[in-house]
Amino acid sequence: MLDTLDAAAVRRWCADGLAALKRHQTEIDQLNVYPVPDGDTGTNMVLTLTSAQQALAMDLDTLPDGEATPHGHALRLMARGALLGARGNSGVILSQILRGFADAAGAVPAVRGRALASALGDATAAAYRAVTRPVEGTLLSVVAAAATAAEQADTDDLCAVAGAAAQEAAAALARTPGQLPELARAGVVDAGGRGLCLLLDALVEVVTGERPARPVPAPRAVVPPATAVRETGSDRYAYEVQFLLDAEPVAVDRMRGVLDALGDSVVIVGDGAADVGTWNVHVHVNDVGAAIEAGVVAGRPHRISVTRFADQTAPPAPVTDGRAAVVVAPGAGIAELFRGEGATVVPGNPSTGELLDAIRATGAARVVVLPNDGNTEAVASAAAKEAHRLGVKVSVVPTRSPVQALAALAVRDPGRRFEDDVIAMAEAAGACRYAEVCHAGRAALTVAGPCAPGDVLALVEGEVHLIGADLVGTCVAVVDRMLGGGGELVTLISGADAPAGLVEAVRAHVGSRWPFVEVHAYPGGQPHYPLLVGVE
């Protein structure tokens, strides 16, 4: 048993945690509240921690610089690697948990029980700060419960504190279906929380030498369906305001309260300085001036960026040389379409580091990123923050589908100011309604009724609208439903598993029933979804 968490123990924790995640990767992937076949939380957490372990391995023989402790050096390497390798929401949150843990634990000469509890508390705070709008019943609830149990243990016994944290995390995981209706309807526990429990159990094994015998929490009974949507940003606020801020922590805390009262999606991440530090500030508001004024009161804001989501005017900003677009493409055909529009393409489900490399490779001073997926949006935001530190201004247009990215790229105009161009792209993407058609990966209750494995699902704006037995018929039906709300242009992107004649059948139907609607069709090659649909 260990009395303190030293550098060697940190490396074993990372390796053992990664091994545990790999063993349970498929199980975690299947803890998916939607029956679509692209649940990937387990995969994303594995890839994120793999990057953390690689960072540790590449720096095995490097001594810490300055006054850094060996264990603090190892923890910061682990956190930095996780950040650059983070994939999906779960990966981004995990990287922030590790960052908060490293900042606290690395600052003390020895990590015993109370120091571990303090580090888990800081990890929880960092995780909550990283999330647009915290939701209980998720990974956040699990890490918070672990931190509370560790603090209540009130001892310097490292094994006792680690054990208390892991045990309460498992109990909190079992409670998640009662906190989040989406989980209860799907009959599962939170996937990210399950991954964190495995990491905490790995920590217990490292410090005690014994692996906790902990069964997977039994799923709750599935309850009748109700409306549920995928995680999205709020649509109540018209502006995204971002800036760097030089300020003291106390002033930032006051500003956080002001911004929270003004809007939502408040994310404030600092560089860890004890006195005056640099903070990356992000908020969605309707009153841009009040948000910037809050920064002025707190300290010195600079690199102010405003993105307009509605029909309003962004504040003026000077044009700098060089701009580019980085777009995530889930298929080879889609990638070719984006390259034809002059964009730099990154394959689907990228890490923070991969997106950051693509941003830097453009050589442009101003870059717009189109993530084309809700999970990738969190990764894109993390990459944008890293790029800001390197002097590159990055705006993320929150596209949820490749068809929205095509609409955004179509209106790009290098003759406009960058900020105005981003606004135009965001408006074009928002005006493009999107749908995706796939086969159900499992039985589930959806807002459109029950589905069985193999059923055809048509999702509009991320929510199941139609369930059918015939692929062509369901594709035609969802296009009709979308055009019933108006539209002049339909974009069809066929997937890797699309049967021959699918696009032609849908195109022929539109030509017959909607003769004044223009149809564009492209081979996309995306997995899981035989057809993507856009209506403008």
Side-chain angles (χ1 to χ4, degrees), residues 32 65 67 139 195 205 217 255 282 331 339 363 372 399 408-409 413 474 501 508 528 530 533:
N32 184 19
D65 298 327
E67 299 178 357
L139 170 57
E205 184 175 1
M255 179 190 67
H282 171 282
R339 290 191 187 99
N372 296 334
T399 52
L409 291 171
D413 182 356
T474 306
H528 306 309
V533 181

Side-chain angles (χ1 to χ4, degrees), residues 202-261:
L203 178 61
V204 171
E205 184 175 1
V206 167
V207 300
T208 67
E210 298 179 358
R211 178 180 299 178
R214 222 182 302 280
V216 179
R220 303 293 182 93
V222 178
V223 299
T227 300
V229 297
R230 292 181 179 176
E231 183 181 4
T232 60
S234 171
D235 59 0
R236 292 180 297 167
Y237 299 100
Y239 293 96
E240 177 190 58
V241 179
Q242 297 183 74
F243 52 86
L244 297 182
L245 177 71
D246 297 335
E248 296 180 349
V250 173
V252 172
D253 286 340
R254 289 195 295 265
M255 179 190 67
R256 190 190 308 276
V258 173
L259 294 181
D260 191 54

Side-chain angles (χ1 to χ4, degrees), residues 225-383:
T227 300
V229 297
R230 292 181 179 176
E231 183 181 4
T232 60
S234 171
D235 59 0
R236 292 180 297 167
Y237 299 100
Y239 293 96
E240 177 190 58
V241 179
Q242 297 183 74
F243 52 86
L244 297 182
L245 177 71
D246 297 335
E248 296 180 349
V250 173
V252 172
D253 286 340
R254 289 195 295 265
M255 179 190 67
R256 190 190 308 276
V258 173
L259 294 181
D260 191 54
L262 287 173
D264 69 358
S265 303
V266 178
V267 178
I268 304 175
V269 180
D271 60 8
D275 192 7
V276 176
T278 299
W279 307 77
N280 193 306
V281 181
H282 171 282
V283 64
H284 290 180
V285 294
N286 286 326
D287 191 339
V288 173
I292 297 174
E293 183 180 353
V296 172
V297 171
R300 185 180 74 87
H302 51 106
R303 293 191 190 171
I304 299 169
S305 171
V306 178
T307 299
R308 183 180 64 191
F309 297 118
D311 187 20
Q312 300 178 28
T313 303
V319 176
T320 59
D321 292 335
R323 66 175 71 173
V326 173
V327 191
V328 178
I334 295 174
E336 286 304 311
L337 287 173
F338 291 149
R339 290 191 187 99
E341 295 290 338
T344 297
V345 176
V346 179
N349 195 30
S351 68
T352 306
E354 288 169 344
L355 271 179
L356 181 60
D357 288 344
I359 291 168
R360 297 179 66 184
T362 65
R366 301 190 175 208
V367 180
V368 62
V369 177
L370 306 174
N372 296 334
D373 177 76
N375 268 329
T376 305
E377 185 180 341
V379 176
S381 296

Side-chain angles (χ1 to χ4, degrees), residues 111-510:
V111 183
R112 296 186 172 87
R114 289 185 176 86
L116 175 62
S118 178
L120 286 171
D122 281 21
T124 300
Y128 273 84
R129 287 195 300 267
V131 175
T132 299
R133 184 165 292 276
V135 176
E136 298 306 316
T138 64
L139 170 57
L140 298 176
S141 301
V142 177
V143 70
T148 299
E151 182 182 8
Q152 291 175 347
D154 194 24
T155 175
D156 265 335
D157 185 329
L158 181 66
C159 296
V161 172
Q167 183 174 349
E168 184 55 31
L173 177 66
R175 293 193 294 267
T176 56
Q179 296 173 292
L180 200 59
E182 290 91 337
L183 296 176
R185 282 192 289 274
V188 296
V189 296
D190 180 70
R194 172 62 174 147
L196 181 66
C197 285
L198 292 172
L199 291 182
L200 292 174
D201 282 345
L203 178 61
V204 171
E205 184 175 1
V206 167
V207 300
T208 67
E210 298 179 358
R211 178 180 299 178
R214 222 182 302 280
V216 179
R220 303 293 182 93
V222 178
V223 299
T227 300
V229 297
R230 292 181 179 176
E231 183 181 4
T232 60
S234 171
D235 59 0
R236 292 180 297 167
Y237 299 100
Y239 293 96
E240 177 190 58
V241 179
Q242 297 183 74
F243 52 86
L244 297 182
L245 177 71
D246 297 335
E248 296 180 349
V250 173
V252 172
D253 286 340
R254 289 195 295 265
M255 179 190 67
R256 190 190 308 276
V258 173
L259 294 181
D260 191 54
L262 287 173
D264 69 358
S265 303
V266 178
V267 178
I268 304 175
V269 180
D271 60 8
D275 192 7
V276 176
T278 299
W279 307 77
N280 193 306
V281 181
H282 171 282
V283 64
H284 290 180
V285 294
N286 286 326
D287 191 339
V288 173
I292 297 174
E293 183 180 353
V296 172
V297 171
R300 185 180 74 87
H302 51 106
R303 293 191 190 171
I304 299 169
S305 171
V306 178
T307 299
R308 183 180 64 191
F309 297 118
D311 187 20
Q312 300 178 28
T313 303
V319 176
T320 59
D321 292 335
R323 66 175 71 173
V326 173
V327 191
V328 178
I334 295 174
E336 286 304 311
L337 287 173
F338 291 149
R339 290 191 187 99
E341 295 290 338
T344 297
V345 176
V346 179
N349 195 30
S351 68
T352 306
E354 288 169 344
L355 271 179
L356 181 60
D357 288 344
I359 291 168
R360 297 179 66 184
T362 65
R366 301 190 175 208
V367 180
V368 62
V369 177
L370 306 174
N372 296 334
D373 177 76
N375 268 329
T376 305
E377 185 180 341
V379 176
S381 296
K385 291 183 179 71
E386 289 294 305
H388 276 297
R389 297 190 181 101
L390 301 174
V392 182
K393 183 171 185 178
V394 179
S395 290
V396 179
V397 174
T399 52
R400 295 303 179 95
S401 171
V403 294
Q404 290 188 314
L406 287 174
L409 291 171
V411 301
R412 264 202 312 169
D413 182 356
R416 281 192 293 242
R417 294 183 313 156
F418 177 74
E419 291 78 5
D420 291 339
D421 210 27
V422 170
I423 290 169
M425 294 175 73
E427 289 175 339
C432 178
R433 288 168 288 145
Y434 67 94
E436 48 205 3
V437 181
C438 66
H439 290 89
R442 62 175 176 82
L445 288 172
T446 76
V447 294
C451 71
D455 282 351
V456 182
L457 306 180
L459 293 86
V460 179
E461 308 286 333
E463 184 175 293
V464 178
H465 274 225
L466 296 170
I467 301 172
D470 175 67
L471 179 62
V472 173
T474 306
C475 290
V476 165
V478 74
V479 171
D480 281 344
R481 177 166 295 195
M482 295 175 75
L483 285 175
E488 300 175 350
L489 171 65
V490 172
T491 301
L492 306 174
I493 301 181
S494 57
D497 299 327
L502 173 63
V503 169
E504 289 75 10
V506 177
R507 183 199 287 270
H509 172 81
V510 173

